[in-house]
Amino acid sequence: RFNHLAVTGGSTLTISCTDCGTENNRPYIEVNGNWRSFTTGAVFNPAPGDARTGVRLTGDAQTIQMLPAYPFWDLWIAGTETATLETALAVSNDLELEGSKTLSTSTSNFDIAIGGDFLFDGGTFAPNQGTVTFNGTSSQTIDGISGAGAATFFNITVNKAGGSFSNLTNTELQNVFTLSTNTAVDFDGA
C-alpha cells in the first residue's frame, strides 16, 4: 500500500507473481494518493507474461497521470470523492468504479481506452466531453454490478479486433456512438 506513487524517467515498476493463475490470487498495488507514471522512460509493467495484475486507487481526491503505451491491466477506482485524469487513460483489461468514487476525464476531456469491461460497482463516471474506446480482442461489456443510476458517457467508440460489445446496464450516451469495426453490438442487455 502506497500513499502516492511516482514512476519517473529511467525507472521500471514491474508487478510479478509466481502463482497468478486465478482471479482471486492475482497481486495488486493499492494507492491512496496520486498515480504518476507519465514521464519519458518511466515504465509501468503490470502484466509481464501471464501474470495479470492490477492497481487499486482507494483514496479521497486523486489524480492519474500515465503513458498510454504502458497501460494498467486491471484498474479499480474506489473510495470517495473524485479521481481526475491528467492524461489519457489506457486499461488492457477491466476498469471498475467502486464505492462512491467518481472518475472524471477533467475539463481537458482525456480519452479512455479499455480492452476489457467497464464496470460500475457503485462508482460514477464524469465523462465531460471525453471518448471511451472499447478496443479489446474478446467480448466486452458496460455493466452495473451494483448502485443506482445510469452509466453516463459522452462518446463511445467500439474499435475491436474480435468479440462482441454489450451494454448490460442503464446507460446514457450524450453525444456519438461510433462503430469502427464489424462487431456485434447488443444494447438491450439481454
Side-chain angles (χ1 to χ4, degrees), residues 40-111:
T40 302
V43 176
F44 172 60
N45 188 8
D50 290 329
R52 305 297 185 221
T53 59
V55 171
R56 181 179 293 275
L57 300 178
T58 59
D60 295 329
Q62 295 174 288
T63 58
I64 303 168
Q65 293 177 314
M66 66 166 307
L67 293 171
Y70 300 103
F72 293 99
W73 174 253
D74 282 324
L75 178 61
W76 299 277
I77 299 179
T80 60
E81 297 186 30
T82 300
T84 304
L85 298 181
E86 293 185 350
T87 59
L89 176 65
V91 181
S92 295
N93 197 39
D94 295 342
L95 172 60
E96 185 170 334
L97 306 182
E98 301 175 338
S100 62
K101 188 73 149 213
T102 297
L103 173 61
S104 172
T105 62
S106 83
T107 56
S108 296
N109 305 311
F110 289 112
D111 293 337

Side-chain angles (χ1 to χ4, degrees), residues 119-140:
L119 305 169
F120 292 84
D121 193 2
T124 58
F125 179 49
N128 298 297
Q129 294 182 12
T131 298
V132 176
T133 299
F134 291 86
N135 60 4
T137 58
S138 61
S139 295
Q140 292 181 263

